[in-house]
Amino acid sequence: MELISLAVPSLSMPPPLLEAVLGLLGLIAEFGLFGSDDSWKLFWSLLNLAPGLWIVRAVVRSLRRADEYQRRCQLEALAIGFGALIMAIYTVGLLQAAGVGDLRQLIQISFLGSILIWIAALLFKTPRTR
């Protein structure tokens, strides 16, 4: 039997294109175009969503290829990760109301933590068989 691997979906994006997109985002950050006052500010800011959209596309493609059991494991892991995110955002709101910490940093930490919990739950839920 084969190992079930749902945790790391393939991005199915040619490496040169991925390198070009990441290089472009690096140039935008280097030249400080995120906070520019020109009419392109919105475009440069939203361009950072491109790598995230490729990740969403990869997850959707992996779910379409999965069988019913794999989809169930993925759904349960996503539910656990989403629940962790909701509790983390609630905690951030309480800390912000108390004047503790930086909201933007705490939101980013909460988001990254929920993704890691999603992956850990998926690895825990998915049996490794031979």
Side-chain angles (χ1 to χ4, degrees):
M1 298 203 164
E2 295 181 21
L3 293 176
I4 299 173
S5 63
L6 287 175
V8 183
S10 73
L11 291 177
S12 69
M13 182 176 174
L17 181 59
L18 180 62
E19 291 171 0
V21 168
L22 292 177
L24 179 64
L25 291 175
L27 286 173
I28 291 169
E30 184 66 28
F31 291 127
L33 296 175
F34 291 127
S36 62
D37 292 329
D38 62 358
S39 62
W40 287 89
K41 180 178 181 179
L42 181 66
F43 173 75
W44 293 125
S45 297
L46 292 178
L47 189 62
N48 286 298
L49 293 175
L53 292 175
W54 271 301
I55 292 171
V56 169
R57 180 179 174 263
V59 170
V60 169
R61 287 185 67 203
S62 71
L63 283 174
R64 285 184 181 162
R65 293 180 188 158
D67 63 6
E68 184 178 341
Y69 177 72
Q70 291 171 332
R71 287 182 185 179
R72 181 175 177 211
C73 288
Q74 185 72 267
L75 178 64
E76 290 176 3
L78 279 169
I80 292 169
F82 181 73
L85 178 65
I86 293 300
M87 289 307 299
I89 296 294
Y90 178 68
T91 305
V92 167
L94 291 175
L95 291 174
Q96 186 66 28
V100 179
D102 181 24
L103 180 64
R104 286 180 289 173
Q105 185 178 14
L106 292 173
I107 293 291
Q108 291 172 353
I109 291 170
S110 300
F111 181 68
L112 291 174
S114 69
I115 291 175
L116 292 176
I117 290 172
W118 165 36
I119 292 172
L122 184 61
L123 291 174
F124 182 74
K125 292 284 303 169
T126 307
R128 301 287 179 182
T129 57
R130 284 191 162 226

